[in-house]
Structures are given as C-alpha cells and as structure tokens.
Amino acid sequence: MTRWRPLPDALPREARHLVEQLRQLKDRTDLSLAELARRTAYSKSSWQRYLSGAKQPPRGAVRALCRVAGADQARLLALWELADPVWPYGPVSPPVPPRIPAEGVPASEAVAAAVPGPQHRRWRAAALVAFAVIVLLVAGVLWAWPSGSE
C-alpha cells in the first residue's frame, strides 16, 4: 500500500473525496505508478499529479483506473462530476490574497477579476473554437477564389 502525502488544504471537499477514492482504488490494484501508466493512456507523472491532488484527473483517467482495478465506473464518475465544477484552476496552491482595489472599484469586482475560474476556461475554449472556424473559412475562400490565370 502506498504511503500518500497529505492533500493540499486548498483542495475543495468534493475534489478531495474524489482523489481519496482514486488513491484507494490505485492501492487496491497493487500496481506502481509506472505499471499503472503502462496499462492506461496516462503517464506516470500524470498519475502522480492526479493522485496528489495537484491536477484534476480527466474523466478518461478515472475510467481507465476503474477498468484496470475492475471497479464500478458509475460511482467514481459521479464523484468526478461533483468535483469538476469546484476543482481549482491551475495548480492547487493556497488562495492568493486579493489586491487592494483601485478607488471607485467595488472590492467584489476586483477579487473576481483577479481569480480565474471555470468561466475563464470556457471563454478560452470558445475563443479557440472561434479562431479555428475563422481560419477554416479563410482557407476555404482562398481555395475557392479564382486564380485569374485562365
């Protein structure tokens, strides 16, 4: 059985519960992280990050661990669904104290602007999709445009 380090204090309760369950499942397999990596599509270092609470495990990693351990996926995927919206953005670290707001800016707005969250991820994904669509449209127009050398 692996001797696990304590999880970060900043990890929300739902995320902590998911990681604890994943750790128990990994221990049940009696596999090292290297062996687990060989049996799944995730590297040893990725498993280290997921099982230390440093990074949110993807749904596929939860499924893969359940498959390797012969465990029921439904329960762990339900825990993943609960942890997903509250998982900290980026590496888990103690909360950063809010900056002193500029004069005339409400403190709640200053804190909200200083702390990225799930909304930031959605906007970034939407911007990347929009950029890809624009690139494809421009490429299509350039390809269909008559070259004028007839």
Side-chain angles (χ1 to χ4, degrees):
M1 188 162 183
T2 306
R3 188 171 170 157
W4 298 104
R5 290 184 180 184
L7 292 171
D9 291 334
L11 200 60
R13 183 176 45 103
E14 295 86 350
R16 178 178 298 278
H17 187 61
L18 173 64
V19 173
E20 289 168 350
Q21 294 300 307
L22 292 174
R23 285 177 169 187
Q24 287 179 7
L25 199 55
K26 189 262 179 207
D27 287 343
R28 218 170 68 190
T29 66
D30 284 330
L31 297 174
S32 68
L33 289 176
E35 291 168 330
L36 183 60
R38 279 193 290 279
R39 293 184 185 202
T40 64
Y42 301 90
S43 69
K44 176 184 171 186
S45 59
S46 292
W47 281 114
Q48 282 177 314
R49 288 188 295 270
Y50 304 151
L51 296 172
S52 70
K55 187 168 186 212
Q56 180 181 10
R59 270 179 83 88
V62 174
R63 280 193 190 116
L65 181 57
C66 288
R67 181 182 43 78
V68 167
D72 178 34
Q73 290 184 13
R75 190 174 77 75
L76 258 73
L77 289 175
L79 291 176
W80 187 91
E81 290 291 336
L82 291 172
D84 182 48
V86 297
W87 201 282
Y89 178 75
V92 177
S93 58
V96 177
R99 290 185 236 149
I100 298 172
E103 198 171 319
V105 177
S108 60
E109 286 180 25
V111 170
V115 180
Q119 196 70 10
H120 174 75
R121 284 187 270 182
R122 288 189 200 108
W123 276 104
R124 185 177 60 192
L128 288 172
V129 168
F131 179 73
V133 168
I134 291 169
V135 168
L136 289 173
L137 286 173
V138 169
V141 167
L142 292 175
W143 181 73
W145 200 275
S147 63
S149 60
E150 293 180 21

